[in-house]
Amino acid sequence: STETRMNHPVLEREALHTVRLTLNGRARSGQAQPRLLLSDFLRHQLGATGTHVGCEHGVCGACTVRIDGVAARACLTLAVQVDGRQVDTVETPQGHDAILDALKAAFKRHHALQCGFCTAGILMSSADWLQRQRAHGQVPDEAAVRDMLSGHLCRCTGYTPIVNAVMEV
Ligand code: FES
Ligand code: FES
Protein backbone atom coordinates (compact mmCIF):
# COMPACT_ATOMS: atom_id res chain seq x y z
CA SER A 1 0.00 0.00 0.00
CA THR A 2 1.03 3.62 -0.32
CA GLU A 3 1.18 3.90 3.45
CA THR A 4 3.54 0.93 3.73
CA ARG A 5 5.73 2.31 0.97
CA MET A 6 5.91 5.75 2.57
CA ASN A 7 6.89 4.28 5.94
CA HIS A 8 9.53 1.94 4.59
CA PRO A 9 12.97 3.64 4.75
CA VAL A 10 14.48 1.76 1.80
CA LEU A 11 11.49 2.15 -0.49
CA GLU A 12 11.23 5.80 0.46
CA ARG A 13 14.79 6.34 -0.71
CA GLU A 14 13.76 4.85 -4.03
CA ALA A 15 11.04 7.44 -4.62
CA LEU A 16 10.89 8.65 -8.19
CA HIS A 17 12.43 11.98 -9.10
CA THR A 18 11.61 14.02 -12.16
CA VAL A 19 14.71 14.65 -14.26
CA ARG A 20 14.53 17.46 -16.80
CA LEU A 21 17.37 17.86 -19.23
CA THR A 22 18.26 19.08 -22.68
CA LEU A 23 19.07 15.96 -24.69
CA ASN A 24 20.67 16.55 -28.06
CA GLY A 25 19.19 20.03 -28.17
CA ARG A 26 15.66 19.05 -27.15
CA ALA A 27 13.95 19.49 -23.80
CA ARG A 28 13.20 16.05 -22.35
CA SER A 29 12.12 14.70 -19.00
CA GLY A 30 11.61 11.39 -17.28
CA GLN A 31 11.21 9.71 -13.91
CA ALA A 32 14.19 8.17 -12.18
CA GLN A 33 14.88 6.41 -8.92
CA PRO A 34 17.96 7.84 -7.18
CA ARG A 35 20.11 4.84 -8.10
CA LEU A 36 19.16 4.72 -11.79
CA LEU A 37 22.19 5.05 -14.04
CA LEU A 38 22.22 7.72 -16.71
CA SER A 39 22.95 5.01 -19.31
CA ASP A 40 19.77 3.11 -18.37
CA PHE A 41 17.77 6.34 -18.11
CA LEU A 42 18.80 7.38 -21.63
CA ARG A 43 18.16 3.98 -23.15
CA HIS A 44 15.10 2.75 -21.31
CA GLN A 45 13.25 5.93 -20.34
CA LEU A 46 14.12 8.28 -23.17
CA GLY A 47 14.61 5.73 -25.95
CA ALA A 48 18.07 7.08 -26.76
CA THR A 49 19.63 3.71 -27.53
CA GLY A 50 22.56 5.14 -29.47
CA THR A 51 24.51 5.17 -26.22
CA HIS A 52 25.80 1.65 -25.68
CA VAL A 53 26.48 -0.18 -22.44
CA GLY A 54 29.39 -2.58 -22.26
CA CYS A 55 31.01 -3.11 -18.88
CA GLU A 56 28.86 -0.89 -16.60
CA HIS A 57 32.04 -0.35 -14.58
CA GLY A 58 33.58 2.70 -16.24
CA VAL A 59 36.20 0.64 -18.05
CA CYS A 60 35.20 0.21 -21.70
CA GLY A 61 34.05 3.73 -22.59
CA ALA A 62 31.15 2.52 -24.73
CA CYS A 63 28.62 4.58 -22.75
CA THR A 64 30.44 7.91 -23.08
CA VAL A 65 28.21 10.95 -23.54
CA ARG A 66 28.86 14.67 -23.04
CA ILE A 67 27.39 16.47 -20.04
CA ASP A 68 27.51 20.25 -20.48
CA GLY A 69 30.06 19.53 -23.19
CA VAL A 70 32.38 17.36 -21.11
CA ALA A 71 32.79 13.67 -21.93
CA ALA A 72 31.51 11.43 -19.13
CA ARG A 73 30.75 7.76 -18.58
CA ALA A 74 26.98 7.41 -18.49
CA CYS A 75 27.37 4.17 -16.49
CA LEU A 76 29.17 6.05 -13.71
CA THR A 77 26.64 8.89 -13.63
CA LEU A 78 23.27 8.84 -11.94
CA ALA A 79 20.30 10.03 -13.95
CA VAL A 80 19.37 12.51 -11.22
CA GLN A 81 22.77 14.19 -11.64
CA VAL A 82 21.86 15.51 -15.09
CA ASP A 83 18.73 17.32 -13.92
CA GLY A 84 18.84 20.79 -15.48
CA ARG A 85 21.88 19.98 -17.59
CA GLN A 86 22.71 19.48 -21.24
CA VAL A 87 23.42 15.93 -22.37
CA ASP A 88 24.67 15.15 -25.86
CA THR A 89 24.94 11.69 -27.35
CA VAL A 90 25.90 10.17 -30.67
CA GLU A 91 22.31 10.93 -31.73
CA THR A 92 23.10 14.66 -31.86
CA PRO A 93 21.37 15.78 -35.09
CA GLN A 94 23.53 16.64 -38.05
CA GLY A 95 24.40 20.33 -38.19
CA HIS A 96 24.51 20.83 -34.39
CA ASP A 97 28.17 19.90 -33.85
CA ALA A 98 30.59 20.39 -36.74
CA ILE A 99 33.37 18.31 -35.15
CA LEU A 100 31.04 15.39 -34.39
CA ASP A 101 29.67 15.54 -37.94
CA ALA A 102 33.22 15.51 -39.32
CA LEU A 103 34.15 12.56 -37.11
CA LYS A 104 31.14 10.54 -38.24
CA ALA A 105 32.03 11.15 -41.88
CA ALA A 106 35.69 10.29 -41.29
CA PHE A 107 34.79 7.07 -39.44
CA LYS A 108 32.70 6.06 -42.43
CA ARG A 109 35.45 6.91 -44.92
CA HIS A 110 38.10 5.03 -42.95
CA HIS A 111 35.88 2.01 -42.17
CA ALA A 112 36.60 2.77 -38.52
CA LEU A 113 33.72 0.72 -37.22
CA GLN A 114 33.25 -2.99 -37.40
CA CYS A 115 30.42 -4.11 -35.11
CA GLY A 116 29.96 -0.48 -34.04
CA PHE A 117 29.55 -1.26 -30.36
CA CYS A 118 32.36 1.01 -29.18
CA THR A 119 31.78 3.70 -31.81
CA ALA A 120 29.27 5.96 -30.08
CA GLY A 121 31.49 6.39 -27.03
CA ILE A 122 34.63 6.94 -29.07
CA LEU A 123 32.88 9.58 -31.18
CA MET A 124 31.71 11.50 -28.12
CA SER A 125 35.11 11.40 -26.39
CA SER A 126 36.88 12.39 -29.59
CA ALA A 127 34.48 15.28 -30.26
CA ASP A 128 35.03 16.71 -26.78
CA TRP A 129 38.78 16.21 -26.94
CA LEU A 130 39.21 17.68 -30.44
CA GLN A 131 37.11 20.68 -29.49
CA ARG A 132 39.38 21.35 -26.52
CA GLN A 133 42.50 20.85 -28.63
CA ARG A 134 41.23 23.41 -31.13
CA ALA A 135 40.29 25.86 -28.41
CA HIS A 136 43.90 25.73 -27.21
CA GLY A 137 45.24 26.02 -30.75
CA GLN A 138 46.81 22.57 -30.59
CA VAL A 139 47.15 20.11 -33.44
CA PRO A 140 47.51 16.71 -31.75
CA ASP A 141 49.85 14.07 -33.11
CA GLU A 142 49.13 10.36 -33.39
CA ALA A 143 50.56 9.59 -29.96
CA ALA A 144 48.15 12.08 -28.40
CA VAL A 145 45.21 10.56 -30.31
CA ARG A 146 46.18 7.08 -29.15
CA ASP A 147 46.49 8.34 -25.59
CA MET A 148 42.99 9.85 -25.73
CA LEU A 149 41.61 6.61 -27.18
CA SER A 150 43.20 4.57 -24.40
CA GLY A 151 40.03 5.20 -22.40
CA HIS A 152 38.09 3.06 -24.87
CA LEU A 153 38.03 -0.63 -25.62
CA CYS A 154 37.16 -1.89 -29.08
CA ARG A 155 36.39 -5.60 -28.87
CA CYS A 156 36.81 -5.85 -32.64
CA THR A 157 40.37 -4.58 -32.09
CA GLY A 158 40.40 -2.46 -35.23
CA TYR A 159 42.18 0.52 -33.71
CA THR A 160 44.21 1.65 -36.70
CA PRO A 161 41.29 2.97 -38.78
CA ILE A 162 39.86 4.63 -35.66
CA VAL A 163 43.15 6.44 -35.06
CA ASN A 164 43.34 7.41 -38.74
CA ALA A 165 39.79 8.81 -38.71
CA VAL A 166 40.40 10.94 -35.63
CA MET A 167 43.75 12.09 -37.06
CA GLU A 168 42.02 13.24 -40.23
CA VAL A 169 39.61 15.47 -38.31
FE1 FES B 1 30.30 2.56 -19.18
FE2 FES B 1 31.76 0.49 -20.03
S1 FES B 1 29.59 0.75 -20.07
S2 FES B 1 32.45 2.44 -19.34
FE1 FES C 1 33.27 -3.57 -32.54
FE2 FES C 1 34.67 -1.48 -31.69
S1 FES C 1 33.88 -1.82 -33.68
S2 FES C 1 33.72 -2.99 -30.53
Side-chain angles (χ1 to χ4, degrees), residues 146-164:
R146 286 185 178 274
D147 188 52
M148 179 273 293
L149 290 172
S150 67
H152 291 268
L153 297 177
C154 174
R155 63 188 178 183
C156 299
T157 72
Y159 289 102
T160 300
I162 296 172
V163 171
N164 291 342

Side-chain angles (χ1 to χ4, degrees), residues 9 11 108 117 124 140 149:
L11 291 180
K108 196 172 168 187
F117 199 87
M124 299 316 289
L149 290 172

Side-chain angles (χ1 to χ4, degrees), residues 87-164:
V87 177
D88 295 298
T89 72
V90 72
E91 290 132 324
T92 299
Q94 200 171 6
H96 284 235
D97 181 336
I99 294 179
L100 183 62
D101 289 347
L103 281 165
K104 287 178 179 176
F107 269 58
K108 196 172 168 187
R109 262 195 305 283
H110 287 269
H111 303 290
L113 50 160
Q114 296 176 73
C115 79
F117 199 87
C118 67
T119 312
I122 290 179
L123 286 171
M124 299 316 289
S125 278
S126 301
D128 171 28
W129 184 74
L130 285 172
Q131 189 181 9
R132 279 184 287 118
Q133 298 290 315
R134 280 191 192 179
H136 292 110
Q138 286 166 350
V139 181
D141 61 11
E142 186 178 324
V145 170
R146 286 185 178 274
D147 188 52
M148 179 273 293
L149 290 172
S150 67
H152 291 268
L153 297 177
C154 174
R155 63 188 178 183
C156 299
T157 72
Y159 289 102
T160 300
I162 296 172
V163 171
N164 291 342

Side-chain angles (χ1 to χ4, degrees), residues 53-56 58-63 73 75:
V53 176
C55 65
E56 283 197 297
V59 176
C60 73
C63 66
R73 308 284 210 228
C75 76

